[in-house]
Amino acid sequence: MSFEDRSVTDPRGLRALAHPTRLALLELLAYEGPLTATEAGERLGESPSSCSFHLRQLAKHGYIEEAGGASGRQRPWRVVRGADYAASESDPETALAGAALAKVVEATRQRRLEEWHANARNYPKEWQDASFGSYRPTFLTAAELKAMGEAIDKLFEPYRGRMTGDAPRPKDGLPVALIMHGFPVAPPPKQPPRSRKTAK
């Protein structure tokens, strides 16, 4: 079963995912395939009962499903889809739920980066040399910034199938996180005051 990121506009679905353990479970299932709550708990350092609860919540909102092959009370789970959220297209309720999810996602990204810096020296030299990180300030228009993001996304496209299950994963490959942001750092421009129509 392959999976893909799909646009989520249901605030309940966004809130369901806005939890560190659920994000970790979703990522773990995507990387390693079907796992039971006990197996997932061993990898994440969580109790089986905690993982079981969070897995059921993910399943309730359509992110995962039972993979079959249950043995007793142990049920393997597999990913059905990830989540993609666009704040610019949201109503206020969805925007609040999306902001909560974005906060958890950003915390997860930061934790991943800190773990890499703490353990980089333990990786083979080829992986240390291959890793990268940069901070490149410049001036761009909104259109240029959007085009740059789309260009980066195109660079990633040939490798997307390895995560979704539509393409084989290299035997000597490792799970890799590409964390990229592009956003203005100046205060937002002031909006002109709205004109008031005088009542007749």
Side-chain angles (χ1 to χ4, degrees), residues 123-188:
Y123 284 80
K125 187 175 185 302
E126 62 180 347
W127 284 101
Q128 294 184 47
D129 292 342
S131 68
F132 63 89
S134 64
Y135 177 74
R136 301 183 182 276
T138 187
F139 283 81
L140 297 173
T141 66
E144 289 171 335
L145 180 60
K146 182 178 181 181
M148 186 174 292
E150 292 171 346
I152 292 172
D153 206 42
K154 286 182 180 179
L155 288 175
F156 178 71
E157 194 60 35
Y159 310 100
R160 191 182 302 277
R162 296 179 181 180
M163 194 66 179
T164 63
D166 297 319
R169 296 175 178 178
K171 292 181 179 180
D172 58 347
L174 292 177
V176 169
L178 299 173
I179 304 173
M180 293 164 284
H181 296 279
F183 51 88
V185 294

Side-chain angles (χ1 to χ4, degrees), residues 13-190:
L14 290 168
R15 285 195 294 268
L17 198 56
H19 190 288
T21 301
R22 292 175 196 169
L23 281 177
L25 283 167
L26 193 64
E27 182 182 66
L28 181 65
L29 291 176
Y31 279 135
E32 299 195 19
L35 294 171
T36 65
T38 298
E39 292 169 333
E42 290 173 351
R43 287 162 173 77
L44 298 179
E46 295 279 344
S47 69
S49 59
S50 172
C51 285
S52 181
F53 170 75
H54 290 303
L55 286 166
R56 290 196 304 271
Q57 292 301 308
L58 289 171
K60 179 180 178 181
H61 293 277
Y63 294 109
I64 65 172
E65 66 182 9
E66 290 188 39
S71 177
R73 299 179 63 183
Q74 294 296 316
R75 297 180 293 175
W77 297 90
R78 64 185 175 193
V79 171
V80 176
R81 66 184 175 101
D84 184 21
Y85 166 68
S88 61
E89 301 174 0
S90 301
D91 60 78
E93 184 181 4
T94 304
L96 285 174
L101 174 57
K103 184 176 180 179
V104 176
V105 168
E106 193 57 40
T108 299
R109 291 172 178 167
Q110 184 61 33
R111 177 177 57 82
R112 285 289 193 198
L113 189 58
E114 291 172 355
E115 288 173 349
W116 162 250
H117 287 311
N119 295 295
R121 65 184 181 278
N122 298 321
Y123 284 80
K125 187 175 185 302
E126 62 180 347
W127 284 101
Q128 294 184 47
D129 292 342
S131 68
F132 63 89
S134 64
Y135 177 74
R136 301 183 182 276
T138 187
F139 283 81
L140 297 173
T141 66
E144 289 171 335
L145 180 60
K146 182 178 181 181
M148 186 174 292
E150 292 171 346
I152 292 172
D153 206 42
K154 286 182 180 179
L155 288 175
F156 178 71
E157 194 60 35
Y159 310 100
R160 191 182 302 277
R162 296 179 181 180
M163 194 66 179
T164 63
D166 297 319
R169 296 175 178 178
K171 292 181 179 180
D172 58 347
L174 292 177
V176 169
L178 299 173
I179 304 173
M180 293 164 284
H181 296 279
F183 51 88
V185 294
K190 293 182 178 180

